[in-house]
Amino acid sequence: MIELALALDMRMTAAQVIEAVAREHPGLRDRVLDEQGELRRHVNIFIDGENARFLGGLSAQVSSDSEIWIHPSLSGGTHR
Amino acid sequence: MSTTAKLSPRSGDLLLMVGTVKGAFIFLSDRTRGDFKMSGPHFPGQSAWSAVFIDGRSPRILIGNKSEHWGAMVSRSDDFGATWTEPTEGNIKFPKGSGVSLNAIWALEAPLGPEVVLAGVDPAAMFRSDDRGETFRLNEALFNHPDRPKWNPGFGGLCLHSILVHPQDPQRMYAAISSGGIYRSDDGGDSWNACVNGLRVHPDVPGATLCPHKLRFDAENPSRMYLQNHPGVYRTDNEARSWVSIENGLPSDFGFPMVAHPRHGGTIYTFPLTADSFRVAPDGVPRVWRSRDAGRSWEPLGKGLPDRNGFFTVLRDAFSADRLDPVGLYFGTRGGQLYGSNDEGESWRTIAEFLPPILCVKTAVVD
């Protein structure tokens, strides 16, 4: 697990947070988002314990004291 | 066979690059191909769809790896797999706003020399790298082709899997898309034209007519090519202007791979499967079928392969030849067996028995 702290001056969206983190960690953006800026299918973002998909997706609001988790899904059961 | 984490090939040694749904494996042998060392899995947990070895300035292995979580990319190793460099940012990307996102990298080829790498991907598109596979740019002409709305994904996706460049005229290129058809460019990829004249319409699945599975050049005559189509096996003698059926004598017209002998024109190999949804060796008897007369007649090659209960499936990129003498042939199955022949297909033995399902088998002889 990698833990990052980010100082936010204002409320931001989840997408803006990812972009801000990616400025310091440039590999992160393309692994979390596809080239059209969509959250990858098997990646989930949790904001203060809630799945961002149910909070507006990448438009979900993040406050300065929010905790964000980026998780690979533990999905399975296919032919793989 | 022994397993080692580090491979140190010498000039003339053979590399087998094997991509599976759970990672990549690299096998090394001397030119006798009697004993193989294995390294891997590389990218454990990721699928490895494509691979190519480029030499020139220095040796480099490229792998088209895909994480189900973090996406697909072309990764590289300059030390035969001891270490890998994944690109910091995705190195194959569709333009922003195109609405299209990369799914998997089906083909990596270097027919234009070691500096240039061509990639075929899902959804169907071709990319080109001029820096030995580190960065790629989209072939806009094929991506914006007016036929594109008519292309449809097969079970494996909408993949551009075969890329051929005429050995004497690099302006002439071919791309095969499943399901989209075969396209030829006479201007180095600036424009593309469909080349499907003569492919018969599948009675049950009309769209499958435009579902090429693998396309290969003849070794001596690049105007001649061989095609394992979804329905049918074909040859063209006129640079894909028309196709003639060459499936007579095969136990099935369905299969995925097509392999051409690297030196003997007219000698080709395929691996027929029962059509259409079963897709295993007919009657459970896996055989490589060889033609030495450009598809006019065929013979089964099975010494060393199971005579019963061998329900193999060999995917389109999981069968290839080396360029040694005698030629070596290698195929991998969805059951994880890797078979090899060091006598042009006359006899076969297992190189590895229990790999994950095999997606691709590529060969290279180290200079």
Side-chain angles (χ1 to χ4, degrees):
Chain A
M1 186 177 74
I2 299 171
E3 200 169 324
L4 303 171
L6 187 67
L8 302 182
D9 296 332
M10 62 186 103
R11 287 179 69 83
M12 297 174 78
T13 65
Q16 288 170 323
V17 171
I18 291 170
E19 293 294 345
V21 175
R23 279 195 285 275
E24 292 182 40
H25 303 276
L28 182 131
R29 185 191 181 284
D30 283 356
R31 280 154 178 83
V32 175
L33 308 178
D34 67 21
E35 58 262 61
Q36 304 308 327
E38 299 292 330
L39 187 63
R40 291 193 181 277
R41 183 180 171 201
H42 294 296
V43 176
N44 285 315
I45 296 176
F46 291 84
I47 302 171
D48 297 323
E50 289 290 331
N51 190 327
R53 292 184 198 276
F54 307 120
L55 300 172
L58 293 171
S59 301
Q61 294 292 308
V62 177
S63 59
S64 58
D65 59 350
S66 287
E67 192 170 84
I68 299 178
W69 290 69
I70 299 173
H71 274 288
S73 302
L74 295 178
S75 50
T78 71
H79 65 281
R80 298 186 72 247
Chain B
M1 188 186 70
S2 58
T3 302
T4 177
K6 184 171 170 54
L7 300 177
S8 302
R10 293 175 297 185
S11 178
D13 283 355
L14 174 74
L15 289 174
L16 292 182
M17 296 161 285
V18 178
T20 80
V21 301
K22 298 283 188 181
F25 298 82
I26 303 172
F27 294 82
L28 173 67
S29 174
D30 64 20
R31 59 185 305 116
T32 65
R33 294 152 290 173
D35 183 47
F36 284 84
K37 293 177 180 173
M38 185 189 88
S39 79
H42 306 278
F43 310 102
Q46 297 190 38
S47 47
W49 294 72
S50 51
V52 69
F53 175 77
I54 53 178
D55 218 322
R57 284 184 272 159
S58 59
R60 171 171 285 182
I61 295 172
L62 300 173
I63 296 281
N65 56 302
K66 176 187 176 184
S67 161
E68 292 296 326
H69 298 110
W70 316 120
M73 65 198 75
V74 177
S75 299
R76 60 185 186 272
S77 173
D78 293 341
D79 51 16
F80 297 99
T83 60
W84 292 91
T85 301
E86 290 191 3
T88 303
E89 298 185 2
N91 50 3
I92 292 187
K93 294 198 270 191
F94 286 92
K96 245 183 179 171
S98 66
V100 179
S101 300
L102 178 67
N103 181 32
I105 300 157
W106 278 69
L108 289 170
E109 304 288 352
L112 292 165
E115 297 298 317
V116 180
V117 178
L118 301 174
V121 308
D122 169 15
M126 182 186 294
F127 287 78
R128 174 179 170 130
S129 169
D130 289 287
D131 56 8
R132 309 181 86 233
E134 295 184 22
T135 62
F136 289 80
R137 68 179 189 278
L138 176 68
N139 182 296
E140 300 273 357
L142 190 58
F143 182 67
N144 294 313
H145 198 283
D147 288 353
R148 186 173 194 86
K150 294 189 285 189
W151 300 346
N152 285 298
F155 284 148
L158 178 58
C159 56
L160 195 161
H161 51 76
S162 296
I163 301 172
L164 275 61
V165 177
H166 193 289
Q168 284 95 46
D169 178 7
Q171 294 296 299
R172 178 155 296 170
M173 309 169 71
Y174 301 87
I177 297 166
S178 177
S179 295
I182 300 163
Y183 289 82
R184 189 182 79 210
S185 174
D186 296 325
D187 53 16
D190 290 340
S191 64
W192 297 87
N193 291 299
C195 302
V196 294
N197 185 29
L199 303 182
R200 75 173 182 277
V201 176
H202 191 292
D204 302 321
V205 192
T209 303
L210 301 181
C211 189
H213 282 179
K214 199 65 195 176
L215 181 66
R216 300 280 190 185
F217 274 131
D218 183 87
E220 296 181 276
N221 175 9
S223 295
R224 172 175 278 184
M225 289 177 284
Y226 306 97
L227 168 66
Q228 174 67 63
N229 206 32
H230 184 119
V233 186
Y234 293 90
R235 186 187 74 232
T236 177
D237 295 318
N238 54 17
E239 299 170 322
R241 289 179 174 82
S242 63
W243 296 90
V244 295
S245 173
I246 57 170
E247 68 209 34
N248 190 30
L250 289 170
S252 170
D253 66 355
F254 183 91
F256 287 108
M258 171 63 71
V259 172
H261 192 287
R263 288 182 295 278
H264 297 164
T267 296
I268 50 177
Y269 304 84
T270 187
F271 197 99
L273 302 176
T274 299
D276 188 291
S277 57
F278 197 29
R279 302 187 176 188
V280 297
D283 302 318
V285 182
R287 292 290 181 264
V288 170
W289 286 72
R290 176 175 64 191
S291 174
R292 291 194 274 198
D293 53 11
R296 293 176 184 86
S297 65
W298 295 90
E299 58 183 330
L301 304 172
K303 186 179 178 184
L305 300 179
D307 291 323
R308 61 190 175 95
N309 299 334
F311 294 95
F312 289 8
T313 301
V314 179
L315 298 178
R316 75 192 77 210
D317 292 305
F319 187 7
S320 58
D322 66 30
R323 57 181 177 84
L324 295 171
D325 187 15
V327 162
L329 295 162
Y330 312 90
F331 70 82
T333 74
R334 288 207 62 167
Q337 298 105 344
L338 177 65
Y339 274 89
S341 167
N342 59 3
D343 55 9
E344 312 220 344
E346 296 295 335
S347 64
W348 298 86
R349 64 187 180 86
T350 50
I351 298 172
E353 290 182 282
F354 305 112
L355 298 176
I358 294 173
L359 297 171
C360 73
V361 177
K362 296 288 289 288
T363 72
V365 176
V366 178
D367 289 337

